[in-house]
Amino acid sequence: MNKDLTDLYQQKAAETGRRLASLRSHSRAFILTEISSFLLAIGFVVLYTLLANAVWALLCALAALFFYLYIRRLDVRNDRRIKAGEALLQVYQNEIDYQHGDFSGFDAGEQYVCPQHPYTFDMDVFGAGSLFQRMNRSISTGGSDQLAACLSAEWGSTKREELVGQIRRRTEAVDELGHEETFLSAFKSLGVKERICTEEVLKALTAVHHQTFPKIFHSTLFRYFCYADLLGFYLSIVLSVMGWVPSLLPVWWGMFNFMFSFLCGHKYMRVISGLIAKVHTQVDGYLQVLKLIDKAEFRSAELQALKKKLSGAEESFEQLELILQKIDNRSNEVGVFIFNSFALIDITIIRLFLRWQHTYEQRTDEWIDTLNLFDALVSMGNYRLNEDKTVQAEVIEDDRVVYEAKGLYHPFLGEQAVANDFNILDHEYYIITGANMAGKSTFLRSIGINYLLAMNGLPVFARQLRVSVFHLFTSMRTTDDLTHGISYFNAELLRLKQLLSSLDERVPSLIILDEILKGTNSLDKLNGSRLFLQHIAGRNVTGVIATHDLELSKLEDEQPARFHNHCFEIGLGEDITYSYKITKGVARNQNATFLLKGILG
């Protein structure tokens, strides 16, 4: 647990709770004022129609209406603050739960689980309690997909020098975000209650770009006619108040405006509403994200480049948000009548929509992709913030497998973890033996998952880690598939076949195997394992292999320059003791019989 950070979250949660109580009391007052002012406006309109020479009543009605609109605006702003406060409070509570080992508030990424992937299934990258669930703070489905893509990338195909440069820039970006708790919390709050559905937004924007409207709405003459109409309407109100024109003229003119705007635009308003109104929340979410990014000052090269790519995006989403806000204002009968009478709102919305469509058509996909990556980087930065006992790995440009670790441990174990030093040399193989539950599988996963973190510029769980870029493939958790007639042994063979087909002689590979050919008898398993390792040793491959088969350790005697024995030894006495420390040599003690005797009594 990061105690200082937990205390900070608890303090901010308490402050946010107090602020929310004050905002909610304001909300009740706004609602009562809105109802009173609207009823008062209606009352003055009735008096104006009933009394002679009651221009004062019309003025009072207008004053009450404008007061209603003003209070409504304050109420909407207050509601936004309440929603923002509630979201921020939930962010703090989720992070407090995280520090106490509860990850249930975060998406586990079950949809990304793939047993056929070269390493994610064995490394617990996705699923309940996974690395993804611990890291994921994405506020959009696109950001979630981007984070999943980063955590399941396959390295080696890109030019090594270019890839190492990318990793170093990513490290700087993640490290910078990891020191900006206020920015991270504000960002996460924008999607903690309801994530932005990126697919729906892209689908809606694609449909928007393909929608056409009658030429009259593009006409300059039509636009000037609308301006002249509204100018005449407001002038008639003033002249009516002064008694220079009949008092009912503005009333009839307002009714004409309503009919004119409604009849001209109603059909197309339904089209626009159908296209974009359903993504109102998502558009507003993206706009808030863009405003937050725009206010931030970044130092790292990657974050600066991403911010530059978003140039123009805020203005685009502001225009779209304005259109949606106007649609929302006329979402009831009263709004339709008032806003069409006083502002020809339906025609205005269509013209704004056409302007937005023409101006921002080309770049929306690029902006969404950039926001997806930024979303993923926030999750990574948040992980950096939470895991304060980690260090940055040193990623080097080398065309060999380099893996030099001091104090390496598994990120899921926290304070219970036992750290180990371990070096992996290019084209060499490490046979690891040990009893059940002695720590072999956890150690193998520690090697793989920390390498995955290093390749993404994320902090690693070690005192020191120095690695090169290589292809990683693991086989630790093979499962049968009886539905498709695949037995356990057949599944193992298919996994090894997949491993062999993934190798590229131009790219160094590290393979991590937990028992080869578990699904056959001991002698067959030994012979098959020896055959496989002798074959793979001739490829551009380095390997770490855990096994219960002590005979396999004799490979060190046959090829001492290529094969090395390590073990996790246990102590047998009245009880079994586990050190979880890796040492050179072959394990001598096993615990299956000892434990079984304990069960049988």
Side-chain angles (χ1 to χ4, degrees):
M1 178 193 293
N2 186 335
K3 188 177 184 306
D4 291 340
L5 187 58
T6 303
D7 291 342
L8 177 64
Y9 284 138
Q10 289 173 336
Q11 176 188 341
K12 291 197 170 186
E15 292 173 356
T16 304
R18 289 191 293 270
R19 189 166 62 252
L20 276 172
S22 175
L23 290 171
R24 285 170 181 146
S25 67
H26 292 162
S27 181
R28 290 188 289 272
F30 284 138
I31 291 171
L32 290 174
T33 307
E34 283 179 50
I35 294 172
S36 302
S37 59
F38 189 75
L39 291 176
L40 191 61
I42 293 175
F44 280 120
V45 170
V46 172
L47 282 176
Y48 176 73
T49 58
L50 294 178
L51 301 176
N53 299 320
V55 175
W56 60 270
L58 184 60
L59 292 174
C60 290
L62 288 173
L65 179 61
F66 284 122
F67 183 68
Y68 161 79
L69 294 174
Y70 173 71
I71 295 298
R72 177 183 170 86
R73 184 177 179 182
L74 293 180
D75 190 19
V76 169
R77 188 185 302 169
N78 191 69
D79 284 343
R80 274 182 171 270
R81 289 173 178 168
I82 290 174
K83 289 179 181 178
E86 289 173 344
L88 195 58
L89 185 62
Q90 187 172 333
V91 164
Y92 294 140
Q93 189 56 58
N94 285 346
E95 295 300 343
I96 292 168
D97 292 342
Y98 174 89
Q99 293 295 334
H100 288 91
D102 180 4
F103 317 121
S104 59
F106 312 111
D107 176 37
E110 298 282 0
Q111 68 271 32
Y112 306 118
V113 173
C114 177
Q116 290 75 42
H117 190 273
Y119 59 83
T120 58
F121 190 66
D122 294 329
M123 295 293 110
D124 300 306
V125 175
F126 304 112
S130 64
L131 176 66
F132 181 87
Q133 186 173 33
R134 294 160 190 260
M135 187 181 300
N136 180 33
R137 301 296 187 274
S138 58
I139 64 170
S140 67
T141 57
S144 176
D145 292 343
Q146 181 65 52
L147 179 62
C150 291
L151 295 181
S152 55
E154 296 185 50
W155 311 281
S157 58
T158 309
K159 290 183 179 179
R160 188 166 289 102
E161 184 177 332
E162 180 182 337
L163 184 56
V164 170
Q166 291 175 359
I167 293 170
R168 288 172 180 169
R169 288 191 294 274
R170 176 62 51 83
T171 300
E172 291 175 0
V174 170
D175 190 59
E176 180 178 355
L177 288 172
H179 289 85
E180 299 292 339
E181 181 277 324
T182 302
F183 176 83
L184 292 175
S185 295
F187 191 101
K188 291 180 292 182
S189 71
L190 299 176
V192 68
K193 285 185 171 290
E194 182 181 358
R195 283 201 304 175
I196 299 169
C197 183
T198 307
E199 296 79 8
E200 286 294 326
V201 174
L202 287 172
K203 182 179 178 182
L205 294 180
T206 300
V208 162
H209 296 323
H210 289 90
Q211 185 62 46
T212 58
F213 292 89
K215 291 183 179 179
I216 189 172
F217 291 109
H218 297 269
S219 169
T220 303
L221 184 62
F222 183 71
R223 174 159 56 96
Y224 286 142
F225 172 79
C226 292
Y227 290 159
D229 173 81
L230 290 176
L231 180 61
F233 173 60
Y234 291 123
L235 185 61
S236 73
I237 295 175
V238 174
L239 295 176
S240 173
V241 170
M242 297 174 68
W244 291 357
V245 298
S247 58
L248 289 179
L249 178 61
V251 175
W252 287 109
W253 202 322
M255 292 180 66
F256 167 78
N257 283 352
F258 165 70
M259 296 300 295
F260 170 64
S261 181
F262 184 77
L263 292 177
C264 285
H266 178 65
K267 173 183 176 181
Y268 306 105
M269 280 300 304
R270 286 195 303 174
V271 173
I272 294 173
S273 295
L275 289 175
I276 61 173
K278 61 184 177 183
V279 294
H280 193 169
T281 303
Q282 288 92 330
V283 168
D284 180 64
Y286 274 133
L287 178 58
Q288 299 310 313
V289 169
L290 289 165
K291 287 181 177 179
L292 187 64
I293 293 172
D294 185 60
K295 291 178 183 176
E297 295 292 335
F298 300 114
R299 300 182 306 278
S300 63
E302 183 171 21
L303 294 178
Q304 288 179 345
L306 290 177
K307 185 174 179 178
K308 187 176 180 180
K309 279 187 177 181
L310 292 172
S311 173
E314 185 177 345
E315 292 82 357
S316 171
F317 279 91
E318 278 181 342
Q319 288 295 317
L320 195 55
E321 173 66 13
L322 176 63
I323 295 169
L324 290 167
Q325 187 60 54
K326 289 183 179 298
I327 292 174
D328 188 52
N329 288 339
R330 54 148 342 257
S331 61
N332 56 64
E333 290 78 2
V334 175
V336 170
F337 179 77
I338 291 176
F339 287 103
N340 271 310
S341 298
F342 284 84
L344 301 178
I345 192 68
D346 287 1
I347 294 174
T348 301
I349 288 173
I350 294 169
R351 291 191 59 81
L352 285 172
F353 181 83
L354 290 172
R355 186 193 307 165
W356 180 87
Q357 184 187 50
H358 175 72
T359 307
Y360 299 106
E361 180 174 356
Q362 301 300 322
R363 298 189 60 194
T364 49
D365 286 355
E366 178 190 352
W367 289 331
I368 296 295
D369 289 341
T370 304
L371 287 169
N372 289 342
L373 179 54
F374 210 106
D375 195 3
L377 288 177
V378 165
S379 289
M380 295 181 184
N382 193 80
Y383 194 69
R384 171 74 179 87
L385 173 67
N386 281 334
E387 303 299 335
D388 62 326
K389 295 181 176 63
T390 55
V391 299
Q392 296 293 351
E394 179 187 357
V395 181
I396 62 172
E397 297 175 19
D398 202 312
D399 58 0
R400 303 168 301 156
V401 170
V402 176
Y403 197 107
E404 301 172 0
K406 294 182 180 179
L408 185 77
Y409 61 99
H410 198 285
F412 296 1
L413 297 180
E415 297 176 358
Q416 302 175 4
V418 175
N420 282 287
D421 297 347
F422 197 70
N423 290 344
I424 299 173
L425 300 179
D426 190 53
H427 285 88
E428 301 193 9
Y429 292 81
Y430 302 83
I431 308 299
I432 301 177
T433 54
N436 295 296
M437 303 182 295
K440 300 189 302 298
S441 298
T442 299
F443 178 69
L444 296 189
R445 291 191 173 92
S446 299
I447 293 173
I449 202 166
N450 277 292
Y451 179 70
L452 162 62
L453 293 172
M455 289 299 99
N456 281 283
L458 288 158
V460 296
F461 293 74
R463 289 198 315 275
Q464 183 179 326
L465 180 63
R466 184 172 181 264
V467 294
S468 62
V469 178
F470 47 77
H471 170 63
L472 176 67
F473 196 100
T474 67
S475 182
M476 301 179 63
R477 193 178 279 152
T478 308
T479 58
D480 57 16
D481 187 354
L482 300 181
T483 304
H484 295 89
I486 300 175
S487 67
Y488 185 85
F489 180 67
N490 192 22
E492 284 189 293
L493 291 178
L494 290 174
R495 186 65 175 173
L496 293 178
K497 183 179 179 180
Q498 182 187 354
L499 186 161
L500 291 171
S501 65
S502 74
L503 301 178
D504 184 341
E505 291 305 313
R506 298 167 298 177
V507 179
S509 296
L510 173 67
I511 62 172
I512 301 176
L513 310 178
D514 191 359
E515 294 288 351
I516 307 173
L517 303 175
K518 293 187 285 290
T520 187
N521 65 67
S522 298
L523 181 59
D524 195 26
K525 171 186 172 184
L526 173 62
N527 292 333
S529 299
R530 287 176 62 91
L531 180 64
F532 178 79
L533 290 177
Q534 286 168 348
H535 170 78
I536 207 78
R539 308 287 295 274
N540 189 10
V541 176
T542 305
V544 182
I545 300 96
T547 182
H548 286 284
D549 198 333
L550 302 184
E551 288 294 314
L552 203 60
S553 63
K554 292 182 180 179
L555 284 168
E556 184 183 70
D557 299 329
E558 300 170 15
Q559 301 182 56
R562 299 293 299 277
F563 290 89
H564 311 280
N565 292 325
H566 289 74
C567 68
F568 285 90
E569 193 60 274
I570 61 171
L572 294 177
E574 292 186 7
D575 295 308
I576 301 175
T577 55
Y578 300 91
S579 69
Y580 303 112
K581 297 292 288 186
I582 192 168
T583 57
K584 290 185 177 181
V586 181
R588 298 182 302 277
N589 297 327
Q590 300 296 317
N591 59 1
T593 303
F594 187 98
L595 293 171
L596 190 59
K597 286 180 179 179
I599 294 173
L600 298 176

